[in-house]
Each structure stands twice: as structure tokens, then as C-alpha cells.
Amino acid sequence: MRHIEASNTRQGYPRRMKWLVTRSDQVHRDEWISIRADTCRMPDGREVGPFYVFQYPHWVNVLAVTDDQRVVLIRQYRHGLGEVVLELPGGSIEPSDEDPMDAARRELTEETCFAGGAFVKTGVLSPNPASHNNLVHCYLATDCRQVAPQALDSSEDIEVVLVPVAELRNVARTSLLQAMHVASVFLALEHLERCG
Amino acid sequence: MRHIEASNTRQGYPRRMKWLVTRSDQVHRDEWISIRADTCRMPDGREVGPFYVFQYPHWVNVLAVTDDQRVVLIRQYRHGLGEVVLELPGGSIEPSDEDPMDAARRELTEETCFAGGAFVKTGVLSPNPASHNNLVHCYLATDCRQVAPQALDSSEDIEVVLVPVAELRNVARTSLLQAMHVASVFLALEHLERCG
């Protein structure tokens, strides 16, 4: 163990920590999940494996604020947890998206039938760097309005929930469960406090 | 689609949204991952499946502050993302843990050799309610001190990074990637602002 006094923690990542993949097998792949099993050699020479990696496209989520200062949340059943949960709109970046923001705009409109004027990226997160190979791009959209009928995937059954912006911090603290969404809300609040 | 004006979003979850599991198969299970494939009937009668659920024990993470006002972070290689990342200490709740806080205390000490006086739970998150059946319990630990030699799992190679508390908000915004950890830091900051 080394103790490091760091003020700029982005610098100086020790390359020695990386693992070398000595074998990689696709253990499952279909329309929904893609899982790889790697055998790896650690820097000290030890072999570890199987080490599973969940392979996904990158994701987006959107903290959308309406032109009358309400936040556009959604409520839907999520079968992993087996509960109906309050979430941000979001989804996967598709090959046809030129930029993650395109996916954010599309998912917001598809899931909520709201669309926004100004989109700004507030951060990039990892769902879980131990298991997932993808990232999630977080957006803040302002001046959103209802623009179109809702168009849902066949397995989606989504309720739109509008919450006053003034309650957002409390909602993130007490009513959102999804870690990527809680983080995204606080990143958006930081952005709003720093940039107006 | 129904639009709902909600100020208390915890209440009134519509039970109709839940899915009925009509078939469930274990598709993979070993020491590292456990994956279930469910076929489900949606409230409107449609069948969906296979719907994969990643089954894990519940997790914990800890925002630990030392007695000299530094935050105890760790830096390690994470093979899912293939990068060395800055994280909070944390891990799984084990059957021998009577309370999630026991796991938080153990993981903090095992990964960093720091231990804390006062632990308080700042929130409960879902890694991803669409895919994961587990939750992550977030703790704030104060008055932590170095107490013991570091004891690591064979696949862990962890650097302890001490960051001044005053830089924590900026670190969460710019240097942490792991969504559960970013959320946990902001929940801890909220707690500190509300409760001192």
C-alpha cells in the first residue's frame, strides 16, 4: 500500500496497475446482454479469471427542466429490482447517433414527449468500472416543452412525473434510487450553481 | 401516458405496473456472477423475455473522513472499464454481517487500513434497478484513523489517496467516475450541510 497526498487526482495514474488479458471468451450474447469472460495476468504475475465483463453501448440520462421550472421525471417498473422506481429519462447511444447528445434528445422525447432547447453535458460516469465496459453521459436540458406523442418500446410502460425544480435536491436525496440518476441530478445542480 | 404532479414521489406507486414472472432459469452462476433469465407477463398481458437479472449481495460504500479532515479514497485497476480509477472504499455485505454498517466498517479497514469512530448511513441506492437485484448502502464515517496493516483480496491492488475535505465536492465533480460513489459523496455532503 502506498499513501498518496493528492490534490489533482486525475494525474499520475500508475500504468503498472493494469492487467494483461491472456484469454477472452464470449460467454453470452443476445439482443439484451453481452458478457465476456477474461483471464488476466496481474502486474505481479498472478493469473486471475474468469473475470466477467458486461458489454454495453454507452448510455445517456437527462435532467430536463421545463420552461415553467419543473423537472421531467419518469416512473416505471424495473424488473432487476422488482420495483416501480422514479428515474431520469435515458437510454442507450445508438450507432446512428453522431453525438451522445443526440441520444439524450431522442430518449427524452421518446420517453416523456418533452423536448428541450439547451442541452449541456454535466458529467460522464461509469455504471460500475469493475463489471461494465461502458460509460453514461449526463445532460442537463433547460426550457423543455411537451412536443410530441409519447413513443415507447414494447416493454416500456412509463409515467411522466413533473416535480418543481425547488424540490429537486430533496427528491434526489430521498426519492431517487438509481445511482447514475442520483449522481446526474447532483452534477446538474452543481452546474446550475456554478453557471446559473 | 399519464402526467402526474407529484411533490411526494414516494407515495402512490401504481401496483398495476409490476410484472408477473411466468418462468425463471438460472443461466450462469459461479463464485463471481449469478444471472437469472425470467419470462414475464406485463400488466397488459404481453409476454417479455428473456429478461436477465444480475443477482448480487447488497453492497456498501464509505465516505471516510480522517481526524485531520482528509477523505480516504482508493485508486485501483478496474477490469470492466479497463482503467485505473479513483473510488470510495466499499464491497459486499457478507452473511456474517449483522448490519450493512458492519460491512462498511470491515471494507474500509480491509481496503485502506483506516477505521472510523462515527458511521452514519447517508442513503440507499440501486446500482441499476433494470438489471440488478441488489442495493448499495452509503455511509459517512468521521474521525477515522489509520489502525491496522492493509489486508487485501488476492485480486486487489489498492492505493490509498488522501484528499482534503475542502476539495471533495470538486473531486466528486471532476475525478470520480463510479456512479454509486459520485452519488454517495453528494449524499454525504448533503448530510454534512444539513446535520453539521
PDB file of all heavy atoms in Angstrom, chain A residues 1-2 5 10 30 46 52 70 79 126 150 154 159 169 174 177 190, chain B residues 1-2 5 10 30 38 46 52 70 126 150 154 159 169 174 177 190:
ATOM      1  N   MET A   1       0.842  -1.191   0.000  1.00  0.00           N
ATOM      2  CA  MET A   1       0.000   0.000   0.000  1.00  0.00           C
ATOM      3  C   MET A   1       0.876   1.239   0.000  1.00  0.00           C
ATOM      4  O   MET A   1       1.833   1.327   0.744  1.00  0.00           O
ATOM      5  CB  MET A   1      -0.889   0.002   1.245  1.00  0.00           C
ATOM      6  CG  MET A   1      -1.758   1.229   1.349  1.00  0.00           C
ATOM      7  SD  MET A   1      -2.773   1.171   2.832  1.00  0.00           S
ATOM      8  CE  MET A   1      -1.507   1.098   4.090  1.00  0.00           C
ATOM      9  N   ARG A   2       0.543   2.183  -0.856  1.00  0.00           N
ATOM     10  CA  ARG A   2       1.210   3.476  -0.821  1.00  0.00           C
ATOM     11  C   ARG A   2       0.171   4.521  -0.473  1.00  0.00           C
ATOM     12  O   ARG A   2      -0.937   4.502  -0.990  1.00  0.00           O
ATOM     13  CB  ARG A   2       1.813   3.805  -2.195  1.00  0.00           C
ATOM     14  CG  ARG A   2       2.951   2.901  -2.574  1.00  0.00           C
ATOM     15  CD  ARG A   2       3.656   3.450  -3.799  1.00  0.00           C
ATOM     16  NE  ARG A   2       2.818   3.383  -4.965  1.00  0.00           N
ATOM     17  CZ  ARG A   2       2.912   4.230  -5.999  1.00  0.00           C
ATOM     18  NH1 ARG A   2       3.789   5.224  -5.962  1.00  0.00           N
ATOM     19  NH2 ARG A   2       2.132   4.098  -7.054  1.00  0.00           N
ATOM     20  N   GLU A   5      -0.687  11.752  -1.193  1.00  0.00           N
ATOM     21  CA  GLU A   5      -1.370  13.020  -0.929  1.00  0.00           C
ATOM     22  C   GLU A   5      -1.689  13.615  -2.285  1.00  0.00           C
ATOM     23  O   GLU A   5      -0.790  14.022  -3.016  1.00  0.00           O
ATOM     24  CB  GLU A   5      -0.463  13.973  -0.150  1.00  0.00           C
ATOM     25  CG  GLU A   5       0.077  13.397   1.142  1.00  0.00           C
ATOM     26  CD  GLU A   5      -0.991  13.238   2.213  1.00  0.00           C
ATOM     27  OE1 GLU A   5      -1.868  14.115   2.282  1.00  0.00           O
ATOM     28  OE2 GLU A   5      -0.944  12.252   2.955  1.00  0.00           O
ATOM     29  N   ARG A  10      -6.548  13.355 -11.037  1.00  0.00           N
ATOM     30  CA  ARG A  10      -6.606  12.813 -12.396  1.00  0.00           C
ATOM     31  C   ARG A  10      -5.212  12.467 -12.920  1.00  0.00           C
ATOM     32  O   ARG A  10      -5.084  11.716 -13.859  1.00  0.00           O
ATOM     33  CB  ARG A  10      -7.228  13.841 -13.355  1.00  0.00           C
ATOM     34  CG  ARG A  10      -8.731  13.813 -13.366  1.00  0.00           C
ATOM     35  CD  ARG A  10      -9.239  13.774 -14.799  1.00  0.00           C
ATOM     36  NE  ARG A  10     -10.680  14.002 -14.861  1.00  0.00           N
ATOM     37  CZ  ARG A  10     -11.580  13.025 -14.680  1.00  0.00           C
ATOM     38  NH1 ARG A  10     -11.214  11.789 -14.469  1.00  0.00           N
ATOM     39  NH2 ARG A  10     -12.868  13.305 -14.732  1.00  0.00           N
ATOM     40  N   ASP A  30     -26.842 -11.909 -26.685  1.00  0.00           N
ATOM     41  CA  ASP A  30     -28.101 -11.882 -27.424  1.00  0.00           C
ATOM     42  C   ASP A  30     -28.525 -10.428 -27.563  1.00  0.00           C
ATOM     43  O   ASP A  30     -27.707  -9.520 -27.411  1.00  0.00           O
ATOM     44  CB  ASP A  30     -29.172 -12.759 -26.754  1.00  0.00           C
ATOM     45  CG  ASP A  30     -29.563 -12.271 -25.357  1.00  0.00           C
ATOM     46  OD1 ASP A  30     -29.237 -11.125 -24.990  1.00  0.00           O
ATOM     47  OD2 ASP A  30     -30.195 -13.049 -24.629  1.00  0.00           O
ATOM     48  N   ARG A  46       0.475 -12.840 -11.143  1.00  0.00           N
ATOM     49  CA  ARG A  46      -0.621 -13.755 -10.818  1.00  0.00           C
ATOM     50  C   ARG A  46      -1.677 -13.767 -11.919  1.00  0.00           C
ATOM     51  O   ARG A  46      -1.949 -12.731 -12.523  1.00  0.00           O
ATOM     52  CB  ARG A  46      -1.297 -13.338  -9.502  1.00  0.00           C
ATOM     53  CG  ARG A  46      -0.554 -13.761  -8.261  1.00  0.00           C
ATOM     54  CD  ARG A  46      -1.253 -13.226  -7.022  1.00  0.00           C
ATOM     55  NE  ARG A  46      -1.225 -11.771  -6.986  1.00  0.00           N
ATOM     56  CZ  ARG A  46      -1.956 -11.027  -6.159  1.00  0.00           C
ATOM     57  NH1 ARG A  46      -2.809 -11.605  -5.330  1.00  0.00           N
ATOM     58  NH2 ARG A  46      -1.855  -9.713  -6.175  1.00  0.00           N
ATOM     59  N   TYR A  52     -15.512 -11.512 -15.420  1.00  0.00           N
ATOM     60  CA  TYR A  52     -16.618 -11.225 -16.338  1.00  0.00           C
ATOM     61  C   TYR A  52     -16.763  -9.732 -16.602  1.00  0.00           C
ATOM     62  O   TYR A  52     -16.686  -8.924 -15.679  1.00  0.00           O
ATOM     63  CB  TYR A  52     -17.933 -11.769 -15.768  1.00  0.00           C
ATOM     64  CG  TYR A  52     -17.919 -13.271 -15.619  1.00  0.00           C
ATOM     65  CD1 TYR A  52     -17.695 -13.869 -14.384  1.00  0.00           C
ATOM     66  CD2 TYR A  52     -18.082 -14.092 -16.726  1.00  0.00           C
ATOM     67  CE1 TYR A  52     -17.651 -15.246 -14.256  1.00  0.00           C
ATOM     68  CE2 TYR A  52     -18.052 -15.472 -16.602  1.00  0.00           C
ATOM     69  CZ  TYR A  52     -17.832 -16.039 -15.363  1.00  0.00           C
ATOM     70  OH  TYR A  52     -17.794 -17.406 -15.245  1.00  0.00           O
ATOM     71  N   ARG A  70     -40.238  23.057 -13.962  1.00  0.00           N
ATOM     72  CA  ARG A  70     -40.491  21.742 -13.384  1.00  0.00           C
ATOM     73  C   ARG A  70     -39.523  20.739 -14.003  1.00  0.00           C
ATOM     74  O   ARG A  70     -39.077  20.911 -15.139  1.00  0.00           O
ATOM     75  CB  ARG A  70     -41.946  21.320 -13.610  1.00  0.00           C
ATOM     76  CG  ARG A  70     -42.917  22.188 -12.809  1.00  0.00           C
ATOM     77  CD  ARG A  70     -44.344  21.769 -13.012  1.00  0.00           C
ATOM     78  NE  ARG A  70     -44.750  21.930 -14.404  1.00  0.00           N
ATOM     79  CZ  ARG A  70     -45.903  21.479 -14.900  1.00  0.00           C
ATOM     80  NH1 ARG A  70     -46.755  20.865 -14.115  1.00  0.00           N
ATOM     81  NH2 ARG A  70     -46.196  21.666 -16.178  1.00  0.00           N
ATOM     82  N   HIS A  79     -37.482  -4.538 -13.593  1.00  0.00           N
ATOM     83  CA  HIS A  79     -37.579  -5.932 -13.180  1.00  0.00           C
ATOM     84  C   HIS A  79     -36.349  -6.449 -12.443  1.00  0.00           C
ATOM     85  O   HIS A  79     -36.428  -7.442 -11.723  1.00  0.00           O
ATOM     86  CB  HIS A  79     -37.884  -6.818 -14.398  1.00  0.00           C
ATOM     87  CG  HIS A  79     -38.137  -8.237 -14.024  1.00  0.00           C
ATOM     88  ND1 HIS A  79     -39.205  -8.611 -13.226  1.00  0.00           N
ATOM     89  CD2 HIS A  79     -37.428  -9.381 -14.279  1.00  0.00           C
ATOM     90  CE1 HIS A  79     -39.162  -9.923 -13.037  1.00  0.00           C
ATOM     91  NE2 HIS A  79     -38.098 -10.407 -13.653  1.00  0.00           N
ATOM     92  N   SER A 126     -19.270   6.128 -14.804  1.00  0.00           N
ATOM     93  CA  SER A 126     -19.231   4.696 -15.102  1.00  0.00           C
ATOM     94  C   SER A 126     -20.314   4.012 -14.280  1.00  0.00           C
ATOM     95  O   SER A 126     -20.395   4.219 -13.065  1.00  0.00           O
ATOM     96  CB  SER A 126     -17.866   4.116 -14.717  1.00  0.00           C
ATOM     97  OG  SER A 126     -17.954   2.715 -14.553  1.00  0.00           O
ATOM     98  N   GLN A 150     -46.075  10.398 -26.923  1.00  0.00           N
ATOM     99  CA  GLN A 150     -45.061   9.504 -26.376  1.00  0.00           C
ATOM    100  C   GLN A 150     -44.943   8.254 -27.249  1.00  0.00           C
ATOM    101  O   GLN A 150     -45.936   7.649 -27.637  1.00  0.00           O
ATOM    102  CB  GLN A 150     -45.493   9.121 -24.957  1.00  0.00           C
ATOM    103  CG  GLN A 150     -44.411   8.502 -24.110  1.00  0.00           C
ATOM    104  CD  GLN A 150     -44.952   8.101 -22.743  1.00  0.00           C
ATOM    105  OE1 GLN A 150     -46.127   7.776 -22.609  1.00  0.00           O
ATOM    106  NE2 GLN A 150     -44.099   8.108 -21.753  1.00  0.00           N
ATOM    107  N   SER A 154     -41.778  -1.694 -26.698  1.00  0.00           N
ATOM    108  CA  SER A 154     -42.895  -2.568 -26.322  1.00  0.00           C
ATOM    109  C   SER A 154     -42.861  -2.944 -24.847  1.00  0.00           C
ATOM    110  O   SER A 154     -43.893  -3.222 -24.259  1.00  0.00           O
ATOM    111  CB  SER A 154     -42.871  -3.828 -27.172  1.00  0.00           C
ATOM    112  OG  SER A 154     -41.700  -4.572 -26.887  1.00  0.00           O
ATOM    113  N   GLU A 159     -44.721   6.420 -16.714  1.00  0.00           N
ATOM    114  CA  GLU A 159     -45.478   7.575 -16.256  1.00  0.00           C
ATOM    115  C   GLU A 159     -44.562   8.776 -16.165  1.00  0.00           C
ATOM    116  O   GLU A 159     -43.481   8.682 -15.572  1.00  0.00           O
ATOM    117  CB  GLU A 159     -46.035   7.320 -14.853  1.00  0.00           C
ATOM    118  CG  GLU A 159     -47.426   6.806 -14.841  1.00  0.00           C
ATOM    119  CD  GLU A 159     -47.884   6.549 -13.408  1.00  0.00           C
ATOM    120  OE1 GLU A 159     -47.061   6.582 -12.482  1.00  0.00           O
ATOM    121  OE2 GLU A 159     -49.082   6.293 -13.253  1.00  0.00           O
ATOM    122  N   ARG A 169     -33.415  18.820  -5.156  1.00  0.00           N
ATOM    123  CA  ARG A 169     -32.367  18.325  -4.256  1.00  0.00           C
ATOM    124  C   ARG A 169     -32.953  17.335  -3.250  1.00  0.00           C
ATOM    125  O   ARG A 169     -32.376  16.272  -2.990  1.00  0.00           O
ATOM    126  CB  ARG A 169     -31.705  19.504  -3.534  1.00  0.00           C
ATOM    127  CG  ARG A 169     -30.482  19.157  -2.724  1.00  0.00           C
ATOM    128  CD  ARG A 169     -29.837  20.402  -2.119  1.00  0.00           C
ATOM    129  NE  ARG A 169     -29.298  21.290  -3.117  1.00  0.00           N
ATOM    130  CZ  ARG A 169     -28.058  21.194  -3.630  1.00  0.00           C
ATOM    131  NH1 ARG A 169     -27.253  20.242  -3.218  1.00  0.00           N
ATOM    132  NH2 ARG A 169     -27.652  22.046  -4.547  1.00  0.00           N
ATOM    133  N   THR A 174     -34.021  11.729  -1.364  1.00  0.00           N
ATOM    134  CA  THR A 174     -34.969  10.851  -0.682  1.00  0.00           C
ATOM    135  C   THR A 174     -35.799   9.956  -1.603  1.00  0.00           C
ATOM    136  O   THR A 174     -36.338   8.958  -1.148  1.00  0.00           O
ATOM    137  CB  THR A 174     -35.971  11.676   0.156  1.00  0.00           C
ATOM    138  OG1 THR A 174     -36.741  12.501  -0.727  1.00  0.00           O
ATOM    139  CG2 THR A 174     -35.260  12.562   1.159  1.00  0.00           C
ATOM    140  N   LEU A 177     -33.589   6.280  -6.553  1.00  0.00           N
ATOM    141  CA  LEU A 177     -32.782   5.140  -6.113  1.00  0.00           C
ATOM    142  C   LEU A 177     -31.609   4.882  -7.049  1.00  0.00           C
ATOM    143  O   LEU A 177     -30.548   4.451  -6.620  1.00  0.00           O
ATOM    144  CB  LEU A 177     -33.647   3.866  -6.123  1.00  0.00           C
ATOM    145  CG  LEU A 177     -34.254   3.336  -4.840  1.00  0.00           C
ATOM    146  CD1 LEU A 177     -34.940   2.010  -5.143  1.00  0.00           C
ATOM    147  CD2 LEU A 177     -33.231   3.169  -3.737  1.00  0.00           C
ATOM    148  N   GLU A 190     -24.881  21.109  -9.371  1.00  0.00           N
ATOM    149  CA  GLU A 190     -23.570  21.780  -9.311  1.00  0.00           C
ATOM    150  C   GLU A 190     -23.412  22.723 -10.496  1.00  0.00           C
ATOM    151  O   GLU A 190     -22.948  23.851 -10.348  1.00  0.00           O
ATOM    152  CB  GLU A 190     -22.446  20.728  -9.351  1.00  0.00           C
ATOM    153  CG  GLU A 190     -22.315  19.899  -8.104  1.00  0.00           C
ATOM    154  CD  GLU A 190     -21.754  20.693  -6.944  1.00  0.00           C
ATOM    155  OE1 GLU A 190     -20.737  21.375  -7.125  1.00  0.00           O
ATOM    156  OE2 GLU A 190     -22.361  20.653  -5.857  1.00  0.00           O
TER     157      GLU A 190
ATOM    158  N   MET B   1     -49.812   7.270 -21.478  1.00  0.00           N
ATOM    159  CA  MET B   1     -49.005   8.131 -20.608  1.00  0.00           C
ATOM    160  C   MET B   1     -49.921   8.975 -19.728  1.00  0.00           C
ATOM    161  O   MET B   1     -50.890   9.545 -20.197  1.00  0.00           O
ATOM    162  CB  MET B   1     -48.140   9.058 -21.459  1.00  0.00           C
ATOM    163  CG  MET B   1     -47.289  10.020 -20.639  1.00  0.00           C
ATOM    164  SD  MET B   1     -46.304  11.096 -21.693  1.00  0.00           S
ATOM    165  CE  MET B   1     -47.595  11.921 -22.618  1.00  0.00           C
ATOM    166  N   ARG B   2     -49.578   9.028 -18.438  1.00  0.00           N
ATOM    167  CA  ARG B   2     -50.272   9.920 -17.520  1.00  0.00           C
ATOM    168  C   ARG B   2     -49.273  10.916 -16.981  1.00  0.00           C
ATOM    169  O   ARG B   2     -48.154  10.557 -16.644  1.00  0.00           O
ATOM    170  CB  ARG B   2     -50.866   9.135 -16.351  1.00  0.00           C
ATOM    171  CG  ARG B   2     -51.990   8.213 -16.764  1.00  0.00           C
ATOM    172  CD  ARG B   2     -52.696   7.676 -15.535  1.00  0.00           C
ATOM    173  NE  ARG B   2     -51.841   6.800 -14.751  1.00  0.00           N
ATOM    174  CZ  ARG B   2     -51.958   6.637 -13.447  1.00  0.00           C
ATOM    175  NH1 ARG B   2     -52.863   7.316 -12.756  1.00  0.00           N
ATOM    176  NH2 ARG B   2     -51.172   5.799 -12.802  1.00  0.00           N
ATOM    177  N   GLU B   5     -48.598  15.361 -11.212  1.00  0.00           N
ATOM    178  CA  GLU B   5     -47.949  16.436 -10.454  1.00  0.00           C
ATOM    179  C   GLU B   5     -47.637  15.860  -9.088  1.00  0.00           C
ATOM    180  O   GLU B   5     -48.559  15.578  -8.320  1.00  0.00           O
ATOM    181  CB  GLU B   5     -48.876  17.644 -10.323  1.00  0.00           C
ATOM    182  CG  GLU B   5     -49.411  18.165 -11.636  1.00  0.00           C
ATOM    183  CD  GLU B   5     -48.329  18.848 -12.468  1.00  0.00           C
ATOM    184  OE1 GLU B   5     -47.454  19.496 -11.883  1.00  0.00           O
ATOM    185  OE2 GLU B   5     -48.387  18.729 -13.708  1.00  0.00           O
ATOM    186  N   ARG B  10     -42.684   9.396  -3.268  1.00  0.00           N
ATOM    187  CA  ARG B  10     -42.604   8.043  -2.717  1.00  0.00           C
ATOM    188  C   ARG B  10     -43.987   7.391  -2.636  1.00  0.00           C
ATOM    189  O   ARG B  10     -44.095   6.183  -2.563  1.00  0.00           O
ATOM    190  CB  ARG B  10     -42.011   8.078  -1.307  1.00  0.00           C
ATOM    191  CG  ARG B  10     -40.507   8.119  -1.270  1.00  0.00           C
ATOM    192  CD  ARG B  10     -39.960   7.017  -0.362  1.00  0.00           C
ATOM    193  NE  ARG B  10     -38.531   7.205  -0.130  1.00  0.00           N
ATOM    194  CZ  ARG B  10     -37.606   6.693  -0.921  1.00  0.00           C
ATOM    195  NH1 ARG B  10     -37.932   5.945  -1.955  1.00  0.00           N
ATOM    196  NH2 ARG B  10     -36.337   6.903  -0.678  1.00  0.00           N
ATOM    197  N   ASP B  30     -21.511 -18.732 -10.680  1.00  0.00           N
ATOM    198  CA  ASP B  30     -20.250 -19.217 -10.138  1.00  0.00           C
ATOM    199  C   ASP B  30     -19.860 -18.318  -8.976  1.00  0.00           C
ATOM    200  O   ASP B  30     -20.707 -17.594  -8.435  1.00  0.00           O
ATOM    201  CB  ASP B  30     -19.155 -19.303 -11.217  1.00  0.00           C
ATOM    202  CG  ASP B  30     -18.797 -17.952 -11.819  1.00  0.00           C
ATOM    203  OD1 ASP B  30     -19.154 -16.907 -11.243  1.00  0.00           O
ATOM    204  OD2 ASP B  30     -18.163 -17.940 -12.890  1.00  0.00           O
ATOM    205  N   ASP B  38     -35.616 -14.406 -16.749  1.00  0.00           N
ATOM    206  CA  ASP B  38     -37.047 -14.525 -16.451  1.00  0.00           C
ATOM    207  C   ASP B  38     -37.876 -14.281 -17.703  1.00  0.00           C
ATOM    208  O   ASP B  38     -37.540 -13.429 -18.533  1.00  0.00           O
ATOM    209  CB  ASP B  38     -37.471 -13.472 -15.411  1.00  0.00           C
ATOM    210  CG  ASP B  38     -36.892 -13.737 -14.025  1.00  0.00           C
ATOM    211  OD1 ASP B  38     -36.359 -14.848 -13.800  1.00  0.00           O
ATOM    212  OD2 ASP B  38     -36.989 -12.834 -13.187  1.00  0.00           O
ATOM    213  N   ARG B  46     -48.969  -8.791 -22.347  1.00  0.00           N
ATOM    214  CA  ARG B  46     -47.848  -9.147 -23.220  1.00  0.00           C
ATOM    215  C   ARG B  46     -46.796  -9.943 -22.456  1.00  0.00           C
ATOM    216  O   ARG B  46     -46.538  -9.679 -21.288  1.00  0.00           O
ATOM    217  CB  ARG B  46     -47.189  -7.891 -23.802  1.00  0.00           C
ATOM    218  CG  ARG B  46     -47.925  -7.281 -24.962  1.00  0.00           C
ATOM    219  CD  ARG B  46     -47.238  -6.005 -25.408  1.00  0.00           C
ATOM    220  NE  ARG B  46     -47.320  -4.981 -24.362  1.00  0.00           N
ATOM    221  CZ  ARG B  46     -46.615  -3.843 -24.370  1.00  0.00           C
ATOM    222  NH1 ARG B  46     -45.761  -3.597 -25.355  1.00  0.00           N
ATOM    223  NH2 ARG B  46     -46.757  -2.963 -23.394  1.00  0.00           N
ATOM    224  N   TYR B  52     -32.969 -10.567 -18.260  1.00  0.00           N
ATOM    225  CA  TYR B  52     -31.860 -11.008 -17.406  1.00  0.00           C
ATOM    226  C   TYR B  52     -31.763 -10.182 -16.140  1.00  0.00           C
ATOM    227  O   TYR B  52     -31.878  -8.957 -16.176  1.00  0.00           O
ATOM    228  CB  TYR B  52     -30.545 -10.930 -18.173  1.00  0.00           C
ATOM    229  CG  TYR B  52     -30.526 -11.851 -19.372  1.00  0.00           C
ATOM    230  CD1 TYR B  52     -30.759 -11.369 -20.653  1.00  0.00           C
ATOM    231  CD2 TYR B  52     -30.308 -13.217 -19.201  1.00  0.00           C
ATOM    232  CE1 TYR B  52     -30.759 -12.221 -21.744  1.00  0.00           C
ATOM    233  CE2 TYR B  52     -30.305 -14.078 -20.290  1.00  0.00           C
ATOM    234  CZ  TYR B  52     -30.534 -13.567 -21.560  1.00  0.00           C
ATOM    235  OH  TYR B  52     -30.542 -14.415 -22.636  1.00  0.00           O
ATOM    236  N   ARG B  70      -9.205  14.858   6.173  1.00  0.00           N
ATOM    237  CA  ARG B  70      -8.921  14.374   4.827  1.00  0.00           C
ATOM    238  C   ARG B  70      -9.848  13.208   4.513  1.00  0.00           C
ATOM    239  O   ARG B  70     -10.287  12.481   5.412  1.00  0.00           O
ATOM    240  CB  ARG B  70      -7.456  13.957   4.700  1.00  0.00           C
ATOM    241  CG  ARG B  70      -6.512  15.164   4.820  1.00  0.00           C
ATOM    242  CD  ARG B  70      -5.064  14.767   4.659  1.00  0.00           C
ATOM    243  NE  ARG B  70      -4.649  13.877   5.735  1.00  0.00           N
ATOM    244  CZ  ARG B  70      -3.479  13.249   5.756  1.00  0.00           C
ATOM    245  NH1 ARG B  70      -2.615  13.401   4.766  1.00  0.00           N
ATOM    246  NH2 ARG B  70      -3.167  12.449   6.764  1.00  0.00           N
ATOM    247  N   SER B 126     -29.690   2.066  -5.813  1.00  0.00           N
ATOM    248  CA  SER B 126     -29.691   0.871  -6.652  1.00  0.00           C
ATOM    249  C   SER B 126     -28.590   1.034  -7.694  1.00  0.00           C
ATOM    250  O   SER B 126     -28.530   2.060  -8.373  1.00  0.00           O
ATOM    251  CB  SER B 126     -31.044   0.724  -7.344  1.00  0.00           C
ATOM    252  OG  SER B 126     -30.920  -0.125  -8.481  1.00  0.00           O
ATOM    253  N   GLN B 150      -2.886  -3.141   5.935  1.00  0.00           N
ATOM    254  CA  GLN B 150      -3.873  -3.374   4.893  1.00  0.00           C
ATOM    255  C   GLN B 150      -3.960  -4.874   4.578  1.00  0.00           C
ATOM    256  O   GLN B 150      -2.943  -5.538   4.419  1.00  0.00           O
ATOM    257  CB  GLN B 150      -3.439  -2.597   3.641  1.00  0.00           C
ATOM    258  CG  GLN B 150      -4.522  -2.420   2.605  1.00  0.00           C
ATOM    259  CD  GLN B 150      -3.990  -1.703   1.371  1.00  0.00           C
ATOM    260  OE1 GLN B 150      -2.813  -1.782   1.047  1.00  0.00           O
ATOM    261  NE2 GLN B 150      -4.864  -1.008   0.683  1.00  0.00           N
ATOM    262  N   SER B 154      -6.884 -11.335  -3.080  1.00  0.00           N
ATOM    263  CA  SER B 154      -5.758 -11.641  -3.971  1.00  0.00           C
ATOM    264  C   SER B 154      -5.804 -10.822  -5.255  1.00  0.00           C
ATOM    265  O   SER B 154      -4.763 -10.562  -5.852  1.00  0.00           O
ATOM    266  CB  SER B 154      -5.751 -13.124  -4.307  1.00  0.00           C
ATOM    267  OG  SER B 154      -6.903 -13.450  -5.058  1.00  0.00           O
ATOM    268  N   GLU B 159      -4.255   1.544  -3.979  1.00  0.00           N
ATOM    269  CA  GLU B 159      -3.523   2.687  -3.443  1.00  0.00           C
ATOM    270  C   GLU B 159      -4.472   3.562  -2.649  1.00  0.00           C
ATOM    271  O   GLU B 159      -5.555   3.905  -3.137  1.00  0.00           O
ATOM    272  CB  GLU B 159      -2.977   3.541  -4.592  1.00  0.00           C
ATOM    273  CG  GLU B 159      -1.556   3.252  -4.949  1.00  0.00           C
ATOM    274  CD  GLU B 159      -1.117   4.125  -6.115  1.00  0.00           C
ATOM    275  OE1 GLU B 159      -1.959   4.796  -6.733  1.00  0.00           O
ATOM    276  OE2 GLU B 159       0.072   4.095  -6.415  1.00  0.00           O
ATOM    277  N   ARG B 169     -16.004  18.185  -3.010  1.00  0.00           N
ATOM    278  CA  ARG B 169     -17.050  18.471  -3.995  1.00  0.00           C
ATOM    279  C   ARG B 169     -16.460  18.530  -5.402  1.00  0.00           C
ATOM    280  O   ARG B 169     -17.017  17.990  -6.361  1.00  0.00           O
ATOM    281  CB  ARG B 169     -17.754  19.787  -3.641  1.00  0.00           C
ATOM    282  CG  ARG B 169     -18.985  20.093  -4.471  1.00  0.00           C
ATOM    283  CD  ARG B 169     -19.669  21.368  -4.000  1.00  0.00           C
ATOM    284  NE  ARG B 169     -20.233  21.245  -2.661  1.00  0.00           N
ATOM    285  CZ  ARG B 169     -21.439  20.760  -2.399  1.00  0.00           C
ATOM    286  NH1 ARG B 169     -22.221  20.387  -3.386  1.00  0.00           N
ATOM    287  NH2 ARG B 169     -21.871  20.666  -1.170  1.00  0.00           N
ATOM    288  N   THR B 174     -15.242  16.090 -10.781  1.00  0.00           N
ATOM    289  CA  THR B 174     -14.274  16.007 -11.872  1.00  0.00           C
ATOM    290  C   THR B 174     -13.415  14.745 -11.877  1.00  0.00           C
ATOM    291  O   THR B 174     -12.851  14.405 -12.911  1.00  0.00           O
ATOM    292  CB  THR B 174     -13.303  17.211 -11.834  1.00  0.00           C
ATOM    293  OG1 THR B 174     -12.537  17.148 -10.626  1.00  0.00           O
ATOM    294  CG2 THR B 174     -14.058  18.526 -11.885  1.00  0.00           C
ATOM    295  N   LEU B 177     -15.483   8.563 -11.161  1.00  0.00           N
ATOM    296  CA  LEU B 177     -16.265   8.087 -12.309  1.00  0.00           C
ATOM    297  C   LEU B 177     -17.420   7.193 -11.872  1.00  0.00           C
ATOM    298  O   LEU B 177     -18.468   7.184 -12.510  1.00  0.00           O
ATOM    299  CB  LEU B 177     -15.369   7.236 -13.212  1.00  0.00           C
ATOM    300  CG  LEU B 177     -14.761   7.811 -14.470  1.00  0.00           C
ATOM    301  CD1 LEU B 177     -14.045   6.714 -15.240  1.00  0.00           C
ATOM    302  CD2 LEU B 177     -15.808   8.473 -15.367  1.00  0.00           C
ATOM    303  N   GLU B 190     -24.550  16.445   1.433  1.00  0.00           N
ATOM    304  CA  GLU B 190     -25.868  16.900   1.860  1.00  0.00           C
ATOM    305  C   GLU B 190     -26.048  16.681   3.366  1.00  0.00           C
ATOM    306  O   GLU B 190     -26.534  17.556   4.077  1.00  0.00           O
ATOM    307  CB  GLU B 190     -26.970  16.137   1.117  1.00  0.00           C
ATOM    308  CG  GLU B 190     -27.104  16.474  -0.337  1.00  0.00           C
ATOM    309  CD  GLU B 190     -27.687  17.860  -0.562  1.00  0.00           C
ATOM    310  OE1 GLU B 190     -28.728  18.163   0.043  1.00  0.00           O
ATOM    311  OE2 GLU B 190     -27.083  18.632  -1.335  1.00  0.00           O
TER     312      GLU B 190
END
